Coordinates of all heavy atoms in Angstrom, one line a residue:
P501 N -25.6 39.8 60.2 CA -26.4 38.8 59.4 C -27.1 39.4 58.2 O -27.4 40.6 58.3 CB -27.4 38.4 60.5 CG -26.9 38.9 61.8 CD -26.1 40.1 61.5
P502 N -27.3 38.7 57.2 CA -28.0 39.2 56.0 C -29.4 39.5 56.4 O -30.0 38.8 57.2 CB -27.8 38.1 55.0 CG -27.6 36.9 55.8 CD -26.9 37.3 57.0
P503 N -30.1 40.4 55.7 CA -31.5 40.7 56.0 C -32.4 39.8 55.4 O -32.0 39.0 54.4 CB -31.6 42.1 55.4 CG -30.7 42.2 54.3 CD -29.5 41.4 54.8
Y504 N -33.6 39.7 55.9 CA -34.7 38.9 55.2 C -35.4 39.7 54.1 O -35.6 40.9 54.3 CB -35.7 38.5 56.3 CG -35.2 37.5 57.3 CD1 -34.7 38.0 58.5 CD2 -35.0 36.2 57.0 CE1 -34.2 37.1 59.4 CE2 -34.5 35.3 57.9 CZ -34.1 35.7 59.1 OH -33.5 34.9 60.0
Q505 N -35.6 39.1 53.0 CA -36.3 39.8 51.9 C -37.8 39.9 52.2 O -38.4 39.0 52.6 CB -36.1 39.1 50.6 CG -36.6 39.9 49.4 CD -36.4 39.1 48.1 OE1 -36.2 37.9 48.1 NE2 -36.6 39.8 47.0
T506 N -38.3 41.1 52.0 CA -39.7 41.4 52.1 C -40.2 42.3 51.0 O -39.4 42.9 50.3 CB -40.0 42.0 53.5 OG1 -41.4 42.1 53.7 CG2 -39.4 43.4 53.6
A507 N -41.5 42.3 50.8 CA -42.0 43.2 49.8 C -42.1 44.7 50.4 O -42.3 44.9 51.6 CB -43.4 42.8 49.4
P508 N -42.0 45.7 49.6 CA -42.1 47.1 50.1 C -43.5 47.3 50.7 O -44.5 46.8 50.2 CB -41.9 47.9 48.8 CG -41.2 47.0 47.8 CD -41.7 45.6 48.1
H509 N -43.5 48.1 51.7 CA -44.8 48.5 52.3 C -45.0 49.9 52.0 O -44.4 50.8 52.5 CB -44.7 48.3 53.9 CG -46.1 48.4 54.5 ND1 -46.8 49.5 54.5 CD2 -46.8 47.4 55.2 CE1 -48.0 49.2 55.2 NE2 -48.0 48.0 55.6
D510 N -46.0 50.2 51.1 CA -46.2 51.5 50.6 C -47.1 52.4 51.5 O -47.3 53.6 51.2 CB -46.9 51.4 49.2 CG -46.0 50.9 48.1 OD1 -44.8 51.1 48.2 OD2 -46.5 50.2 47.2
G511 N -47.6 51.8 52.6 CA -48.5 52.6 53.5 C -47.7 53.4 54.6 O -48.2 54.4 55.0
V512 N -46.6 52.8 55.1 CA -45.9 53.5 56.2 C -45.4 54.8 55.8 O -44.6 54.9 54.9 CB -44.8 52.5 56.8 CG1 -44.0 53.3 57.9 CG2 -45.5 51.3 57.3
R513 N -45.8 55.8 56.6 CA -45.3 57.2 56.3 C -44.4 57.7 57.4 O -43.6 58.6 57.2 CB -46.5 58.2 56.2 CG -47.5 57.9 55.1 CD -46.8 58.1 53.7 NE -47.8 58.2 52.6 CZ -48.3 57.2 52.0 NH1 -47.9 55.9 52.3 NH2 -49.1 57.3 51.0
K514 N -44.5 57.1 58.7 CA -43.8 57.6 59.8 C -43.1 56.4 60.5 O -43.8 55.4 60.8 CB -44.6 58.4 60.8 CG -45.3 59.6 60.2 CD -46.1 60.3 61.3 CE -46.8 61.6 60.7 NZ -47.7 62.2 61.7
L515 N -41.8 56.5 60.8 CA -41.1 55.4 61.5 C -40.2 56.0 62.6 O -39.5 57.0 62.3 CB -40.3 54.6 60.5 CG -39.4 53.5 61.1 CD1 -40.3 52.4 61.7 CD2 -38.5 52.9 60.1
H516 N -40.3 55.5 63.8 CA -39.5 55.9 64.9 C -38.6 54.8 65.3 O -39.0 53.7 65.6 CB -40.4 56.3 66.1 CG -41.3 57.5 65.9 ND1 -41.0 58.7 66.6 CD2 -42.3 57.7 65.0 CE1 -41.9 59.6 66.1 NE2 -42.7 59.0 65.2
L517 N -37.3 55.1 65.3 CA -36.2 54.1 65.7 C -35.3 54.7 66.8 O -34.2 54.4 66.9 CB -35.4 53.7 64.5 CG -36.0 52.7 63.5 CD1 -35.2 52.6 62.3 CD2 -36.2 51.4 64.2
T518 N -35.9 55.6 67.6 CA -35.1 56.3 68.7 C -34.4 55.3 69.6 O -35.1 54.3 70.0 CB -36.0 57.2 69.4 OG1 -36.6 58.2 68.5 CG2 -35.3 57.9 70.6
G519 N -33.2 55.6 70.0 CA -32.5 54.9 71.1 C -32.1 53.5 70.7 O -31.8 52.7 71.6
N520 N -32.0 53.2 69.4 CA -31.4 51.9 69.0 C -29.9 52.1 68.8 O -29.3 53.2 68.8 CB -32.1 51.3 67.8 CG -33.5 50.8 68.1 OD1 -33.6 49.8 68.8 ND2 -34.5 51.5 67.6
Y521 N -29.1 51.0 68.5 CA -27.7 51.1 68.4 C -27.2 51.0 66.9 O -26.1 50.6 66.7 CB -27.1 49.9 69.2 CG -27.4 49.9 70.6 CD1 -28.2 48.9 71.2 CD2 -27.0 50.9 71.5 CE1 -28.6 48.9 72.5 CE2 -27.4 51.0 72.8 CZ -28.2 50.0 73.3 OH -28.5 50.0 74.7
I522 N -28.0 51.4 66.0 CA -27.6 51.4 64.6 C -26.6 52.5 64.3 O -26.9 53.7 64.6 CB -28.9 51.6 63.7 CG1 -29.9 50.5 64.0 CG2 -28.5 51.6 62.3 CD1 -31.3 50.7 63.4
S523 N -25.5 52.2 63.7 CA -24.4 53.2 63.5 C -24.1 53.4 62.1 O -23.3 54.4 61.8 CB -23.2 52.8 64.3 OG -22.7 51.5 63.8
E524 N -24.6 52.6 61.1 CA -24.2 52.7 59.7 C -25.4 53.1 58.9 O -26.5 52.6 59.0 CB -23.7 51.4 59.2 CG -22.4 50.9 59.9 CD -21.2 51.8 59.7 OE1 -21.2 52.5 58.7 OE2 -20.3 51.8 60.6
W525 N -25.2 54.1 58.0 CA -26.3 54.6 57.1 C -26.7 53.5 56.1 O -27.8 53.5 55.7 CB -25.8 55.8 56.4 CG -26.9 56.5 55.7 CD1 -27.2 56.5 54.3 CD2 -28.0 57.2 56.3 NE1 -28.3 57.2 54.1 CE2 -28.9 57.7 55.2 CE3 -28.4 57.6 57.6 CZ2 -30.0 58.4 55.5 CZ3 -29.5 58.3 57.8 CH2 -30.3 58.7 56.8
A526 N -25.9 52.6 55.8 CA -26.3 51.5 54.9 C -27.5 50.7 55.5 O -28.3 50.2 54.8 CB -25.1 50.5 54.7
E527 N -27.5 50.6 56.8 CA -28.7 50.0 57.5 C -29.9 50.8 57.3 O -31.0 50.3 57.1 CB -28.4 49.8 59.0 CG -27.1 49.0 59.3 CD -27.2 47.5 58.8 OE1 -28.3 46.9 59.0 OE2 -26.2 47.0 58.3
I528 N -29.8 52.1 57.4 CA -30.9 53.0 57.2 C -31.4 53.0 55.8 O -32.6 53.1 55.5 CB -30.6 54.4 57.6 CG1 -30.0 54.4 59.1 CG2 -31.8 55.4 57.5 CD1 -31.0 53.8 60.1
C529 N -30.5 52.7 54.8 CA -31.0 52.6 53.4 C -31.9 51.5 53.2 O -32.8 51.5 52.4 CB -29.7 52.5 52.5 SG -28.8 54.0 52.3
R530 N -31.7 50.4 54.0 CA -32.7 49.3 53.9 C -34.1 49.8 54.3 O -35.1 49.3 53.8 CB -32.2 48.2 54.8 CG -31.0 47.5 54.4 CD -30.5 46.5 55.4 NE -29.2 45.9 54.9 CZ -28.4 45.2 55.7 NH1 -28.7 45.0 57.0 NH2 -27.3 44.6 55.1
I531 N -34.2 50.6 55.4 CA -35.4 51.2 55.8 C -36.1 51.9 54.6 O -37.3 51.8 54.3 CB -35.2 52.2 56.9 CG1 -34.8 51.4 58.2 CG2 -36.5 53.0 57.2 CD1 -35.9 50.5 58.8
G532 N -35.3 52.7 53.9 CA -35.8 53.4 52.7 C -36.3 52.5 51.6 O -37.3 52.9 50.9
R533 N -35.7 51.4 51.4 CA -36.2 50.4 50.4 C -37.5 49.7 50.8 O -38.3 49.5 50.0 CB -35.1 49.4 50.1 CG -33.9 50.0 49.4 CD -33.0 48.9 48.9 NE -32.2 48.2 49.9 CZ -31.0 48.6 50.2 NH1 -30.4 49.6 49.7 NH2 -30.3 47.9 51.1
V534 N -37.6 49.4 52.1 CA -38.8 48.7 52.6 C -40.0 49.7 52.7 O -41.1 49.3 52.4 CB -38.5 48.1 54.0 CG1 -39.8 47.5 54.6 CG2 -37.5 47.0 53.9
F535 N -39.7 51.0 53.0 CA -40.8 52.0 53.1 C -40.6 53.1 52.1 O -40.1 54.2 52.5 CB -40.9 52.5 54.6 CG -41.0 51.5 55.6 CD1 -40.0 51.3 56.6 CD2 -42.1 50.7 55.7 CE1 -40.1 50.3 57.5 CE2 -42.3 49.7 56.7 CZ -41.3 49.5 57.6
P536 N -40.9 52.9 50.9 CA -40.5 53.9 49.8 C -41.3 55.2 49.9 O -40.9 56.2 49.4 CB -40.9 53.1 48.5 CG -41.9 52.1 48.9 CD -41.5 51.7 50.3
Q537 N -42.5 55.2 50.7 CA -43.3 56.4 50.8 C -43.0 57.1 52.1 O -43.8 58.0 52.5 CB -44.8 56.0 50.7 CG -45.2 55.3 49.4 CD -44.9 56.1 48.2 OE1 -45.0 57.4 48.2 NE2 -44.4 55.5 47.2
L538 N -41.9 56.7 52.8 CA -41.6 57.3 54.1 C -41.5 58.8 54.1 O -40.8 59.4 53.2 CB -40.3 56.7 54.7 CG -40.1 56.8 56.2 CD1 -41.2 56.0 57.0 CD2 -38.7 56.2 56.5
E539 N -42.2 59.5 55.0 CA -42.2 61.0 55.1 C -41.5 61.5 56.3 O -41.0 62.6 56.4 CB -43.6 61.5 55.0 CG -44.3 61.2 53.6 CD -45.7 61.8 53.6 OE1 -46.1 62.4 54.6 OE2 -46.4 61.6 52.6
S540 N -41.5 60.7 57.4 CA -40.9 61.1 58.7 C -40.1 60.0 59.3 O -40.6 58.8 59.4 CB -42.1 61.5 59.6 OG -41.5 61.8 60.9
L541 N -38.8 60.2 59.6 CA -37.9 59.2 60.1 C -37.2 59.8 61.3 O -36.5 60.8 61.2 CB -36.9 58.8 59.0 CG -35.9 57.7 59.5 CD1 -36.5 56.5 60.0 CD2 -34.9 57.4 58.3
V542 N -37.5 59.2 62.5 CA -36.9 59.7 63.7 C -35.8 58.7 64.2 O -36.0 57.5 64.5 CB -37.9 59.8 64.8 CG1 -37.3 60.3 66.2 CG2 -39.0 60.7 64.4
L543 N -34.5 59.2 64.1 CA -33.3 58.4 64.5 C -32.6 59.0 65.7 O -31.4 58.9 65.8 CB -32.4 58.2 63.3 CG -33.0 57.5 62.1 CD1 -32.1 57.7 60.9 CD2 -33.3 56.1 62.4
A544 N -33.3 59.7 66.5 CA -32.7 60.4 67.7 C -32.0 59.3 68.6 O -32.5 58.2 68.7 CB -33.7 61.2 68.5
D545 N -30.9 59.7 69.1 CA -30.1 58.9 70.1 C -29.6 57.6 69.4 O -29.4 56.6 70.1 CB -31.0 58.5 71.3 CG -31.4 59.8 72.1 OD1 -30.6 60.7 72.1 OD2 -32.5 59.8 72.6
C546 N -29.5 57.6 68.1 CA -28.8 56.5 67.4 C -27.4 56.9 67.1 O -27.2 58.0 66.6 CB -29.6 56.1 66.2 SG -31.2 55.4 66.4
P547 N -26.4 56.1 67.3 CA -25.0 56.5 67.2 C -24.5 56.5 65.7 O -23.4 55.9 65.4 CB -24.2 55.5 68.0 CG -25.0 54.2 68.0 CD -26.5 54.7 67.9
L548 N -25.3 57.1 64.8 CA -24.9 57.1 63.4 C -23.6 57.9 63.2 O -23.5 59.0 63.7 CB -26.0 57.7 62.6 CG -27.2 56.8 62.3 CD1 -28.4 57.6 61.8 CD2 -26.9 55.7 61.3
R549 N -22.6 57.4 62.5 CA -21.3 58.1 62.4 C -21.3 58.9 61.1 O -20.5 59.8 61.0 CB -20.2 57.0 62.3 CG -20.1 56.2 63.6 CD -18.8 55.4 63.6 NE -18.9 54.3 62.6 CZ -19.1 53.0 63.0 NH1 -19.2 52.7 64.3 NH2 -19.2 52.1 62.1
S550 N -22.1 58.6 60.1 CA -22.1 59.4 58.9 C -23.4 59.1 58.1 O -24.1 58.1 58.4 CB -20.9 59.0 58.0 OG -20.9 59.6 56.8
L551 N -23.7 60.0 57.1 CA -24.8 59.7 56.2 C -24.3 59.1 54.9 O -25.0 58.9 53.9 CB -25.5 61.0 55.9 CG -26.1 61.8 57.1 CD1 -26.9 63.0 56.6 CD2 -27.1 60.8 57.8
K552 N -23.0 58.7 54.9 CA -22.5 58.0 53.7 C -22.3 56.5 54.0 O -21.6 56.1 55.0 CB -21.1 58.6 53.4 CG -20.4 57.9 52.2 CD -19.0 58.6 52.0 CE -18.3 57.9 50.8 NZ -17.0 58.5 50.6
P553 N -23.0 55.7 53.3 CA -22.9 54.2 53.5 C -21.5 53.8 53.4 O -20.7 54.2 52.5 CB -23.8 53.6 52.4 CG -24.7 54.7 52.0 CD -24.0 56.0 52.2
S554 N -21.1 53.0 54.4 CA -19.7 52.5 54.5 C -19.5 51.2 53.7 O -18.4 50.6 53.8 CB -19.3 52.3 55.9 OG -20.1 51.4 56.6
D555 N -20.5 50.7 53.1 CA -20.4 49.4 52.4 C -19.6 49.6 51.1 O -20.0 50.2 50.2 CB -21.8 48.9 52.0 CG -21.8 47.5 51.5 OD1 -20.7 47.0 51.2 OD2 -22.9 46.9 51.3
A556 N -18.4 49.0 51.1 CA -17.5 49.3 50.0 C -18.0 48.6 48.7 O -17.7 49.1 47.6 CB -16.1 48.7 50.3

Side-chain angles (χ1 to χ4, degrees):
Y504 293 98
Q505 187 184 16
T506 186
H509 194 294
D510 292 327
V512 173
R513 299 294 195 274
K514 299 179 181 179
L515 178 66
H516 292 248
L517 284 169
T518 297
N520 286 294
Y521 301 113
I522 302 169
S523 60
E524 299 297 335
W525 190 254
E527 304 295 319
I528 305 303
C529 288
R530 292 173 181 164
I531 292 292
R533 291 193 285 268
V534 174
F535 304 115
Q537 302 302 321
L538 199 64
E539 296 177 1
S540 175
L541 178 58
V542 179
L543 299 170
D545 300 324
C546 293
L548 286 164
R549 295 190 290 254
S550 175
L551 299 184
K552 179 180 179 180
S554 59
D555 188 351

